[in-house]
Amino acid sequence: MNSFTEENYLKAIYKFSLTTKKGVSTNTIAKKLNTKASSVTDMLKKLATKNLINYKKYYGVTLTSKGEQIALSVIRNHRLWEVFLVEKLNFKWDEVHDLAEELEHIKSEKLINNLDAFLNFPTNDPHGDPIPNKNGKIKNLKMINMSELKANEEGIFVYVKDSSDKFLKYLSKNKLEIGERIKILEIEPFDNSFKIAYNNQQLILSESIAKNIYIQS
Amino acid sequence: MNSFTEENYLKAIYKFSLTTKKGVSTNTIAKKLNTKASSVTDMLKKLATKNLINYKKYYGVTLTSKGEQIALSVIRNHRLWEVFLVEKLNFKWDEVHDLAEELEHIKSEKLINNLDAFLNFPTNDPHGDPIPNKNGKIKNLKMINMSELKANEEGIFVYVKDSSDKFLKYLSKNKLEIGERIKILEIEPFDNSFKIAYNNQQLILSESIAKNIYIQS
DNA sequence: TAAAATATTTAGACTAATCTAAAAATTACA
DNA sequence: TGTAATTTTTAGATTAGTCTAAATATTTTA
């Protein structure tokens, strides 16, 4: 049996793994979990001895398939509880995250599968994120070019076509990072520029920049 | 904020307080929570410094009103989750206790009040126990004589009229204790004797014994 | 009512998860 | 490419909740 804390580490590692081919770094995890790098190192050792992650000192971590399975199950729980809170208990979609962070750790297959059925097997949570099924399978996620999106659509920034230094500098200057959730506010018909919102800020992207950005929804 | 563990102690103390006028003893709590008396002593000191219990060394504890309020809120959570599991997620009434033990510790007034409304403000959980309202008020519990019960009714053994040594010895010989949940299996019309079930055993009580036993339902 | 039995508390230790500070390894860049 | 900056790890400490064993208090009973 894994503790709440262990599950939170696995979940964090899983999420960062989606947007990088390399191992996830100690500092990245520490920032996400509001803890210190030294605490992360301790936990990584522990997770490695449990065969939940592949850990090589100084080179970050990846999940083993056992670790990934646990992460996916926690994510499934989280997203199903969010659906429940919004659809049945009248919560707003932006009020449910913290509660779902607690509920997700209640470990009962029967509970979560019955909840899934009660909610009529939803495929996405209230934020639009896909819900893994009971075998941990996530509905085919397809990546599309930002320029194909319409106003009010949104998704996660997952990939850049042009990864030149210049372009990456541009992104970094605007604190627009892989993994960020982006919403299209409007598209200016005159020049096809995109006004977007992400992480509490707004930005206008030219058409050529939009064409460099891929979104997963 | 109180930990899960602290809440479990308060809940245990609350339940034992219902059936005794004196303070609840260290050993009683230890047995209930599957822990050691020394661990209980440590926790009692901690709860006392938080003003949740009245603790006098060697003389057991009672809850302060602040402690009672917390215990009642945890019990409310527990019982509402049990209703949810049985009525909405198709659990059997005897499968829900352990899950409710986990769910009860999720602290969100909004969550529990919305759940209450979603379930249509139930007054009793699937085991028949009353659900405290949001102010911690429990619907008038009335104690009735066992002889007034009919077959298939049940409740908690809370009081004895004749507390003579003889009678108490009889109860103790049959491991029939205050606090036990008792179900009437059948009543023999010939002599008004009661066949009851409790704690995985059955027993036949004469009419005069039944008249000494009070039940809360 | 005093010795025996029982209950409770204290003392000291352990584990999980965390921290700070220092040491060591890796990466960046002049 | 070697020094500086950054990242990661190690060492040692802390906290909550628990434990065992020993000490102490209360209760039972002869």
Side-chain angles (χ1 to χ4, degrees):
Chain A
M1 190 61 21
N2 309 290
S3 69
F4 288 17
T5 312
E6 289 169 336
E7 291 183 349
N8 285 335
Y9 274 85
L10 294 174
K11 196 173 49 144
I13 296 165
Y14 175 84
K15 289 195 176 169
F16 286 117
S17 296
L18 290 178
T19 53
T20 176
K21 278 116 261 170
K22 293 187 292 181
V24 180
S25 78
T26 302
N27 257 355
T28 304
I29 299 170
K31 257 173 238 156
K32 176 75 172 186
L33 299 180
N34 279 309
T35 183
K36 303 290 157 165
S38 55
S39 308
V40 174
T41 301
D42 286 347
M43 181 55 86
L44 296 183
K45 286 180 188 165
K46 187 179 169 192
L47 294 173
T49 68
K50 290 179 127 186
N51 279 310
L52 300 174
I53 60 173
N54 307 112
Y55 173 50
K56 188 178 156 213
K57 258 193 196 184
Y58 291 102
Y59 290 91
V61 292
T62 54
L63 292 178
T64 62
S65 69
K66 204 170 142 200
E68 183 178 277
Q69 200 184 300
I70 293 167
L72 282 165
S73 134
V74 175
I75 289 169
R76 169 171 161 80
N77 294 355
H78 184 104
R79 295 182 179 167
L80 284 172
W81 280 116
E82 286 199 344
V83 173
F84 171 71
L85 292 172
V86 169
E87 292 198 355
K88 304 295 181 182
L89 297 197
N90 294 311
F91 278 75
K92 300 282 179 297
W93 70 273
D94 57 346
E95 294 174 320
V96 294
H97 186 265
D98 292 350
L99 271 176
E101 286 287 299
E102 299 192 55
L103 289 159
E104 72 188 9
H105 299 294
I106 291 177
K107 285 172 271 293
S108 161
E109 294 237 340
K110 177 160 185 177
L111 170 62
I112 213 66
N113 291 337
N114 288 17
L115 181 63
D116 193 17
F118 178 62
L119 298 171
N120 231 285
F121 306 102
T123 58
N124 296 84
D125 76 13
H127 306 93
D129 295 309
I131 299 175
N133 72 13
K134 70 173 85 174
N135 304 311
K137 261 270 171 10
I138 297 191
K139 196 189 56 183
N140 246 350
L141 286 174
K142 52 177 189 289
M143 197 164 79
I144 63 172
N145 194 270
M146 184 188 279
S147 65
E148 295 174 49
L149 291 179
K150 297 182 184 45
N152 288 315
E153 292 185 331
E154 58 182 290
I156 311 279
F157 175 18
V158 284
Y159 181 69
V160 289
K161 188 162 74 181
D162 169 5
S163 61
S164 69
D165 215 52
K166 242 188 191 166
F167 184 60
L168 296 180
K169 283 239 168 67
Y170 167 82
L171 294 177
S172 134
K173 194 177 67 188
N174 289 293
K175 299 212 171 20
L176 182 49
E177 294 168 354
I178 295 280
E180 205 82 74
R181 170 171 291 275
I182 292 177
K183 179 170 186 180
I184 313 298
L185 296 177
E186 54 179 280
I187 303 168
E188 170 54 49
F190 176 65
D191 63 356
N192 289 320
S193 67
F194 281 66
K195 184 169 174 195
I196 65 171
Y198 60 99
N199 194 25
N200 293 320
Q201 53 190 305
Q202 300 192 352
L203 187 63
I204 293 183
L205 307 178
S206 70
E207 184 179 16
S208 65
I209 285 178
K211 286 197 160 151
N212 268 328
I213 291 179
Y214 282 78
I215 295 289
Q216 179 175 282
S217 60
Chain B
M1 191 61 17
N2 308 291
S3 69
F4 288 19
T5 312
E6 289 168 335
E7 290 183 350
N8 284 335
Y9 274 85
L10 294 174
K11 197 173 47 143
I13 295 165
Y14 175 84
K15 291 195 175 169
F16 286 117
S17 295
L18 290 178
T19 52
T20 176
K21 279 116 260 171
K22 293 185 292 180
V24 180
S25 77
T26 302
N27 256 357
T28 303
I29 300 170
K31 257 174 237 156
K32 174 76 171 188
L33 299 180
N34 278 309
T35 183
K36 302 291 155 159
S38 56
S39 309
V40 174
T41 300
D42 287 346
M43 181 56 85
L44 296 183
K45 286 180 188 168
K46 186 178 170 195
L47 293 173
T49 68
K50 291 179 125 186
N51 278 308
L52 300 173
I53 60 173
N54 308 111
Y55 174 48
K56 188 179 157 211
K57 259 195 195 181
Y58 292 103
Y59 290 91
V61 292
T62 54
L63 293 178
T64 63
S65 69
K66 204 170 142 199
E68 184 179 274
Q69 199 184 300
I70 293 168
L72 282 165
S73 136
V74 175
I75 289 169
R76 168 170 161 82
N77 293 356
H78 184 104
R79 293 180 182 169
L80 284 171
W81 280 115
E82 286 199 344
V83 173
F84 171 71
L85 292 172
V86 168
E87 292 198 354
K88 304 296 180 180
L89 298 197
N90 293 310
F91 278 75
K92 301 280 179 298
W93 72 273
D94 57 346
E95 293 175 320
V96 295
H97 187 266
D98 292 350
L99 272 175
E101 286 287 300
E102 299 192 52
L103 289 159
E104 71 188 8
H105 299 293
I106 291 177
K107 284 171 273 292
S108 161
E109 294 238 339
K110 177 161 184 174
L111 170 62
I112 213 65
N113 290 338
N114 288 15
L115 180 65
D116 194 16
F118 178 62
L119 298 171
N120 234 288
F121 306 102
T123 57
N124 296 84
D125 77 11
H127 305 92
D129 295 308
I131 300 175
N133 73 12
K134 69 172 86 174
N135 304 310
K137 261 271 172 10
I138 297 190
K139 199 190 53 182
N140 247 349
L141 285 174
K142 52 177 190 289
M143 197 165 81
I144 61 173
N145 195 270
M146 183 188 278
S147 66
E148 295 174 48
L149 291 179
K150 299 184 180 46
N152 289 315
E153 293 184 330
E154 57 184 290
I156 311 279
F157 174 17
V158 285
Y159 180 71
V160 289
K161 188 163 72 181
D162 168 4
S163 60
S164 68
D165 215 54
K166 241 185 189 168
F167 185 59
L168 295 180
K169 282 237 169 70
Y170 167 82
L171 293 176
S172 133
K173 193 178 70 190
N174 289 294
K175 300 209 170 23
L176 182 49
E177 294 169 357
I178 294 281
E180 205 82 75
R181 171 171 290 277
I182 293 178
K183 179 169 185 181
I184 312 298
L185 296 178
E186 54 180 280
I187 303 168
E188 171 53 48
F190 176 65
D191 62 357
N192 289 321
S193 67
F194 282 66
K195 184 170 175 194
I196 67 172
Y198 61 98
N199 194 25
N200 294 318
Q201 53 190 305
Q202 301 191 352
L203 187 63
I204 293 181
L205 308 179
S206 69
E207 184 177 16
S208 65
I209 285 177
K211 286 197 160 150
N212 267 328
I213 291 179
Y214 282 79
I215 296 287
Q216 179 175 280
S217 62

